[in-house]
Amino acid sequence: MAGETAPALNQGVGYGIVIGLGALFALGMILVTFILKRYNRELQTSEMFNTAGRTVKSGLVGSAVVSSWTWAATLLQSSGVCYRYGVSGPLWYASGATVQILLFATLAIELKRRAPNAHTYLEVIRARFGTLPHIVFMIFGLMTNILVSLMLIVGGSATINALTGMHTIAAIYLLPVGVVAYTLVGGLKATILTDWIHTFVLLIIIIVFSLTAYASSDVLGSPSTVYDLLVKAAAAHPVEGNHEGSYLTMRSREGAIFFVINIVGNFGTVFLDNGYYNKAIAASPVHALPGYILGGLCWFAIPWLTATTMGLSGLALENHPSFPTYPNRMPDADVSAGLVLPYAAVALLGKGGAAATLLIVFMAVTSATSSQLVAVSSIVVYDLYRTYIKPEASGKRLIYMSHVAVCAYALFIASFSVGLWYAGISMGYLYVMMGVIISSAVLPAALALTWSGLNKWAAACSPVLGLCVALVAWLVTAKHECGEMSVECTGSNMPMLAGNVAALLSPVVFIPVLTLIFGKANYDWKSMMAISRGDDHDVAGEAGVDLEEIPGGREESEREMEEEQRKLRRASKISKSMTAVLTLALLILWPMPLYGTGYIFSKPFFTGWVVVGIIWIFFSFIGVGLFPVYEGRETLIRTCKYIWWDITGKKNVKAIHAEQAAHAGEVVVTEGMTPGDQTPEEKSVKEKS
């Protein structure tokens, strides 16, 4: 554990949460998978494991995006930057990491439109450019997944150790166990369903934290009290680089540097993480755009309000006996390890706060890790195994390889995390370093789906050249700034800023140069449409069902495909304008006037700032907590009815399936409607009008 602070909870609580709750989720997903198979005729084919049948609605897509983007770093790192830089930190973090999700909505639509049968974005790269660019992007994609997974496990284990005293290595190896279990059983569908549960619980706990700090706490209890304590904190230890040393201003030099690093690094971890493409692929065509926009806007409130609450509470309560490091300030190592949030929670709510923090960190780590497991397994299965080793692999073999990949990757990440722990590499270091390593592939990846002129040499070479430039810029700046190459120096703001910016922007130079040298391509997009689905007839045959009758197994007719393409073209136009406006608002119109004027928040302004955050988190709870239940109400009601009939003996499973088949036979697709407008279960009970 960082520092010398005694843990708020005993080790038994840590092991209970990590093992017990992990086992509970695993058993829950096994039960859900059994129910879906028994009553909704779902079969775990290779397509279902990796794409969830391509029928997920916008509410669940939104909650899956929120859960996948809510890493341990989202909660821990955002609170840390708030502790360091004041009110600017949460907004820099939230706005600098929301725009990528919003902009990715456009790529999600383009992927659905250009390659409707793809399993990974890397399949699209190979279909367009061939083997060399495919291998280059596969390496960058896997590096992205590895960095994200390491951040999750390293950050989560450090927090569990700090709160319970559970040994860090034990936490590292035990955290993925339950996740692996339910991912093996349910695949991407299980991941998306657990994403919703995690998001629901997470939002409730954040609401409790915020209302405690700003309404009911005996120590704080109002924005006014927090404001007064922040003024005292600034007088005692002013923030270097902040306007007048205040914690209550957006003008923060170091905060602005972090803002740039945050934006650059997060482009890589969204645009190159196959997990986000998995969600786009899993979404039904009409729900991809609203799902990503909903997810992005709902996610914004999580780091903004969490950090505004817990980061500022940490600053306000440091001089109170309830704070774990009292009477000292938090050591910088503890801040970098992400311990501001747990320390503030202990000061606010005692052991209850520690338990709540342990729960949300566990939720954040396990849900995002599940997404990473499916992302990596789909790359291994479809981009490595089916492409280069066994192209004729059956559906059963693809499922087996998916399971092997999930288990092997979990073991690899846990072992790698142990090495980082011994080397003293924290979650904070990994967070700011990831952009240096991966961001040079962002622009080529985006152009692969949006610009027909990108040639294969520009696609293959610009990421590699960009990585070389980024590494040189990072390490040379570190040597110039500090005169040494230590972890502390290379992890400081200026070297990381140089490396991140060089990585993201160097392809802006390399791509035009390589286009001039090798010529502009004139791609017709046809090879992407030729990507095929996995052949799951052997799996369906063993189960004694018709592949066309199970969710996700039906091939669409030409007319249905044309109608889907029309809707996706319309969604593409909407997404480009909508995401541009939202990006402009979050990056320029909101923060920059406050930064430029150097305004120091007044007490009424700070109160309004907090109130807006609390209102926003309630809207987020409605959007990704309650809306998915409302959206899936027909399926939920029908499934509960089938379970009741089965338990009471009113109808057996064969009779239930016969009823579903009878209704399915009466379905007609009305004018302007495509299969993507409804989930298979809904379509099966809609009668002729």
Side-chain angles (χ1 to χ4, degrees):
M1 172 184 162
E4 299 178 357
T5 308
L9 303 169
N10 62 50
Q11 289 191 30
V13 176
Y15 283 102
I17 291 287
V18 173
I19 298 175
L21 205 54
L24 183 64
F25 269 108
L27 292 173
M29 281 304 104
I30 291 170
L31 178 61
V32 168
T33 303
F34 170 78
I35 289 171
L36 291 173
K37 180 179 179 180
R38 185 173 177 85
Y39 302 110
N40 291 347
R41 309 172 80 190
E42 286 193 6
L43 182 64
Q44 193 63 280
T45 62
S46 66
E47 285 291 315
M48 181 61 75
F49 187 91
N50 289 288
T51 71
R54 305 174 197 262
T55 58
V56 180
K57 292 185 174 182
S58 54
L60 278 178
V61 171
S63 66
V65 168
V66 167
S67 184
S68 297
W69 204 213
T70 305
W71 308 339
T74 303
L75 309 170
L76 306 176
Q77 180 81 352
S78 62
S79 298
V81 295
C82 181
Y83 179 87
R84 284 193 168 114
Y85 312 130
V87 292
S88 69
L91 187 60
W92 292 137
Y93 189 102
S95 60
T98 299
V99 294
Q100 293 85 351
I101 295 295
L102 299 175
L103 291 171
F104 185 81
T106 298
L107 277 190
I109 295 300
E110 293 304 305
L111 180 68
K112 301 289 287 184
R113 189 161 73 93
R114 309 282 195 196
N117 291 325
H119 307 86
T120 72
Y121 80 96
L122 298 170
E123 284 185 310
V124 170
I125 298 294
R126 184 173 186 273
R128 176 169 178 175
F129 299 115
T131 301
L132 179 61
H134 181 238
I135 292 172
V136 170
F137 275 91
M138 186 159 33
I139 292 169
F140 274 89
L142 289 172
M143 283 196 301
T144 302
N145 292 124
I146 289 168
L147 282 168
V148 171
S149 302
L150 290 173
M151 265 192 295
L152 292 168
I153 301 300
V154 170
S157 60
T159 304
I160 291 169
N161 169 263
L163 288 171
T164 69
M166 179 180 178
H167 199 286
T168 305
I169 294 178
I172 285 171
Y173 277 108
L174 290 173
L175 271 171
V177 171
V179 187
V180 169
Y182 71 71
T183 304
L184 287 176
V185 172
L188 185 59
K189 187 70 167 276
T191 296
I192 290 173
L193 291 173
T194 53
D195 282 347
W196 173 77
I197 297 170
H198 291 161
T199 302
F200 192 93
V201 174
L202 173 71
L203 288 168
I204 289 175
I205 292 176
I206 293 172
I207 289 169
V208 169
F209 280 161
S210 61
L211 293 180
T212 300
Y214 292 116
S216 64
S217 168
D218 294 334
V219 184
L220 299 178
S222 71
S224 175
T225 302
V226 174
Y227 182 92
D228 291 337
L229 290 170
L230 292 176
V231 171
K232 290 180 181 178
H237 38 81
V239 187
E240 184 180 353
N242 278 25
H243 185 54
E244 297 184 10
S246 175
Y247 286 104
L248 292 158
T249 179
M250 283 295 297
R251 181 178 285 181
S252 168
R253 184 186 67 238
E254 296 299 313
I257 291 172
F258 171 80
F259 179 49
V260 177
I261 295 172
N262 194 38
I263 291 174
V264 174
N266 285 319
F267 266 112
T269 51
V270 173
F271 282 51
L272 301 176
D273 184 349
N274 192 51
Y276 293 96
Y277 292 92
N278 282 152
K279 306 295 189 301
I281 291 164
S284 72
V286 295
H287 291 113
L289 175 61
Y292 271 85
I293 297 295
L294 176 69
L297 292 176
C298 290
W299 181 85
F300 179 90
I302 292 174
W304 183 39
L305 184 64
T306 300
T308 298
T309 299
M310 306 311 286
L312 296 184
S313 293
L315 285 167
L317 292 171
E318 270 189 322
N319 292 321
H320 192 274
S322 62
F323 199 77
T325 64
Y326 177 82
N328 302 315
R329 295 207 71 200
M330 282 188 67
D332 193 64
D334 283 13
V335 178
S336 183
L339 302 184
V340 173
L341 188 152
Y343 286 179
V346 170
L348 273 176
L349 292 163
K351 289 186 181 295
T357 302
L358 189 61
L359 185 58
I360 61 172
V361 168
F362 174 82
M363 296 284 189
V365 170
T366 53
S367 61
T369 299
S370 179
S371 175
Q372 295 301 309
L373 291 174
V374 175
V376 170
S377 74
S378 59
I379 290 174
V380 170
V381 169
Y382 290 101
D383 291 287
L384 185 60
Y385 185 74
R386 195 175 79 155
T387 300
Y388 298 113
I389 299 173
K390 197 170 184 180
E392 73 283 1
S394 65
K396 188 175 181 180
R397 185 68 182 175
L398 294 177
I399 294 174
Y400 171 76
M401 290 306 300
S402 296
H403 291 172
V404 170
V406 165
C407 295
Y409 182 66
L411 182 61
F412 166 75
I413 286 300
S415 302
F416 200 154
S417 298
V418 171
L420 292 179
W421 181 72
Y422 277 115
I425 303 296
S426 69
M427 175 199 68
Y429 187 92
L430 291 169
Y431 186 85
V432 293
M433 186 264 288
M434 63 188 177
V436 178
I437 305 299
I438 63 175
S439 290
S440 59
V442 168
L443 185 59
L447 292 177
L449 280 166
T450 56
W451 183 43
S452 62
L454 185 68
N455 66 55
K456 68 178 290 185
W457 297 108
C461 297
S462 56
V464 178
L465 294 171
L467 173 60
C468 295
V469 170
L471 290 173
V472 170
W474 173 38
L475 298 176
V476 167
T477 306
K479 183 71 173 176
H480 179 266
E481 288 282 314
C482 311
E484 61 178 3
M485 305 290 278
S486 64
V487 171
E488 182 180 356
C489 178
T490 55
S492 59
N493 274 351
M494 289 310 296
M496 286 298 186
L497 177 65
N500 274 271
V501 172
L504 186 66
L505 298 185
S506 56
V508 174
V509 176
F510 291 130
I511 289 173
V513 170
L514 292 167
T515 301
L516 285 172
I517 294 172
F518 296 103
K520 182 180 175 182
N522 188 23
Y523 183 58
D524 59 10
W525 308 105
K526 289 182 180 178
S527 60
M528 290 185 186
M529 295 292 290
I531 296 172
S532 63
R533 297 189 180 188
D535 184 359
D536 287 308
H537 284 89
D538 60 326
V539 180
E542 280 190 13
V545 298
D546 185 348
L547 191 61
E548 290 285 314
E549 293 180 359
I550 65 174
R554 179 177 174 272
E555 292 287 342
E556 295 168 344
S557 68
E558 187 175 336
R559 186 180 71 82
E560 291 167 349
M561 280 292 292
E562 288 175 0
E563 182 63 23
E564 259 179 27
Q565 288 293 311
R566 183 186 68 79
K567 291 182 177 181
L568 287 169
R569 284 192 294 271
R570 180 172 178 271
S572 178
K573 294 176 182 176
I574 294 171
S575 70
K576 288 168 185 172
S577 56
M578 182 181 291
T579 54
V581 170
L582 290 171
T583 299
L584 181 67
L586 291 175
L587 294 186
I588 307 295
L589 299 180
W590 184 356
M592 290 309 164
L594 291 170
Y595 181 86
T597 59
Y599 175 65
I600 295 176
F601 290 13
S602 65
K603 189 175 287 187
F605 189 91
F606 176 72
T607 301
W609 187 268
V610 170
V611 168
V612 169
I614 293 173
I615 291 172
W616 200 321
I617 202 74
F618 273 101
F619 276 114
S620 297
F621 180 69
I622 293 169
V624 293
L626 300 181
F627 178 62
V629 177
Y630 174 79
E631 196 176 36
R633 63 195 182 282
E634 291 183 13
T635 302
L636 288 170
I637 292 169
R638 186 169 56 256
T639 303
C640 290
K641 180 175 69 176
Y642 291 159
I643 293 171
W644 176 250
W645 284 350
D646 192 15
I647 291 173
T648 58
K650 291 183 178 179
K651 288 186 180 180
N652 59 29
V653 174
K654 287 185 178 179
I656 291 170
H657 288 175
E659 180 177 302
Q660 288 177 328
H663 285 165
E666 296 179 357
V667 171
V668 292
V669 178
T670 59
E671 188 68 31
M673 180 181 289
T674 70
D677 290 316
Q678 299 169 303
T679 59
E681 295 85 354
E682 287 175 321
K683 286 184 283 186
S684 69
V685 298
K686 296 279 187 182
E687 296 185 355
K688 285 182 181 177
S689 55

